[in-house]
Amino acid sequence: MRSPFQLLLDLFDEPKPVPPLPPDPRPALALDDAVAPQGFRHPQANREAVLGKVLVGYHFRRVKRRTIGFVVGPEGLTVSAPRWVPLAEVDDAVKKKSRWITNKLSQARERGERIEAARIEWRDGASFPFLGEDVIVVLDPRHAFSEAGAMLNTDAQALPGVPRCTLHVGLPHTAQPQQVRDVVQAWLMRQARRIFTERLDHFAPQLGVRWTRLSLSSAGTLWGTAQRNGAIRLNWRLVHFRMAVIDYVVAHELSHLRVMDHSPRFWETVATVVPDYEHLRGQLKDEPLPPW
Ligand SMILES: [Zn+2]
């Protein structure tokens, strides 16, 4: 039976018998088994291919370019081809790229799921990571916390595994998620400046360098930069991580005031103050931050 999807394809395509595919000589990836039941489908899928055991619905576009292009984004696979390339050739190219495509699609899905799981709903009871610990938002309209807007309480009596920190936010229970988020962000940015300054002052003498200025950034996953004149820029969202990770980034940027590249001499410099930097560096890459 033909699916409505197949009919749709036929509108774009001259109906031609599809030759049976030669058996794939490569062993199937374990990954294929994991994704086989659901497959992948781009929301604008207008063609599909079976890659290994995986059904992939992809968005196919005719474009002005010289070669067939493949892009895997959060929505799925997009294939673009010049107008003069026959569809059979596009199918062949997709088959040849199948391992790359299914790997990329799996990675994109996993990333999407992790980001979704880390998404925060900004209301009373929301939690967010601060210095590697979960902090619970408590809307507390009785307090204005005038200059700060929010205040952190820690409860040493809390049970293991239960967040022991609460951030009391001076907003009514009717506050919009955006308002709650803004107050928490402003609070986190103040903490970031305080903590980073303290850690810069801690490591600079040990490395024999002088930092001159600290600015906060929020640039994606660029955690920090250093300039020859001693100006340091650090991503305020580092305060989500535990202190050891922050220390690694601070030491990394300060070490650039000695060695301006990532040569072995640079990493030796980092290791003099943060010996387990490799492990900490890995954590920065592995742990997804909540989308802000
Ligand atoms: Zn660097």
Side-chain angles (χ1 to χ4, degrees):
M1 204 189 81
R2 301 185 130 204
S3 67
F5 182 74
Q6 184 61 48
L7 283 174
L8 182 72
L9 285 188
D10 289 346
L11 295 177
F12 293 111
D13 242 338
E14 63 282 35
K16 248 192 268 169
V18 180
L21 293 164
D24 191 340
R26 292 164 307 183
L29 286 171
L31 170 139
D32 290 353
D33 293 320
V35 294
Q38 39 190 355
F40 296 93
R41 175 159 295 271
H42 193 290
Q44 290 168 267
N46 52 1
R47 284 189 73 75
E48 54 186 23
V50 178
L51 305 179
K53 288 186 233 157
V54 187
L55 179 65
V56 177
Y58 62 92
H59 179 48
F60 177 67
R61 303 183 304 160
R62 290 294 190 180
V63 289
K64 281 187 186 161
R65 52 176 288 163
R66 287 160 168 274
T67 54
I68 302 174
F70 302 88
V71 176
V72 172
E75 299 205 296
L77 172 66
T78 300
V79 179
S80 24
R83 300 197 185 278
W84 45 266
V85 172
L87 283 169
E89 219 171 287
V90 174
D91 290 342
D92 276 353
V94 170
K95 285 274 168 218
K96 281 202 186 104
K97 256 325 228 184
S98 64
R99 175 125 342 175
W100 181 88
I101 290 169
T102 49
N103 274 332
K104 284 281 173 199
L105 285 169
S106 296
Q107 285 165 15
R109 170 173 291 163
E110 199 187 303
R111 201 177 311 123
E113 281 167 359
R114 286 162 74 203
I115 288 172
E116 206 40 57
R119 189 175 292 283
I120 297 169
E121 275 185 64
W122 291 105
R123 52 179 168 71
D124 193 60
S127 80
F128 63 92
F130 173 60
L131 299 182
E133 302 255 359
D134 278 337
V135 174
I136 304 250
V137 173
V138 177
L139 295 186
D140 195 346
R142 292 166 305 158
H143 295 285
F145 307 116
S146 48
E147 85 287 5
M151 198 176 78
L152 188 71
N153 287 351
T154 54
D155 176 9
Q157 307 294 311
L159 297 166
V162 175
R164 59 187 191 86
C165 300
T166 47
L167 185 72
H168 290 250
V169 174
L171 284 174
H173 285 270
T174 52
Q176 295 298 305
Q178 182 70 38
Q179 287 176 283
V180 178
R181 198 190 79 146
D182 287 350
V183 172
V184 175
Q185 177 171 339
W187 182 82
L188 280 173
M189 288 177 85
R190 272 195 305 278
Q191 304 310 309
R193 183 166 286 281
R194 178 179 63 79
I195 293 164
F196 297 163
T197 303
E198 194 218 303
R199 301 321 282 162
L200 285 165
D201 284 341
H202 173 79
F203 285 113
Q206 294 183 29
L207 288 161
V209 295
R210 260 193 73 234
W211 66 280
T212 52
R213 191 159 54 90
L214 166 67
S215 50
L216 299 182
S217 76
S218 54
T221 52
L222 180 64
W223 298 116
T225 57
Q227 287 172 24
R228 272 176 211 287
N229 64 7
I232 304 284
R233 206 169 157 77
L234 294 168
N235 193 320
W236 66 267
R237 302 197 59 196
L238 281 168
V239 290
H240 290 310
F241 291 102
R242 63 199 175 91
M243 198 61 103
V245 177
I246 298 173
D247 278 354
Y248 156 65
V249 179
V250 169
H252 180 123
E253 298 315 330
L254 285 174
S255 297
H256 276 316
L257 301 183
R258 288 183 74 114
V259 187
M260 265 302 181
D261 53 32
H262 291 130
S263 60
R265 199 163 72 83
F266 168 79
W267 291 112
E268 280 162 26
T269 309
V270 175
T272 60
V273 286
V274 181
D276 59 341
Y277 70 87
E278 262 176 279
H279 170 68
L280 298 166
R281 194 174 168 219
Q283 284 209 336
L284 266 183
K285 289 186 186 146
D286 292 346
E287 285 176 34
L289 284 178
W292 206 267

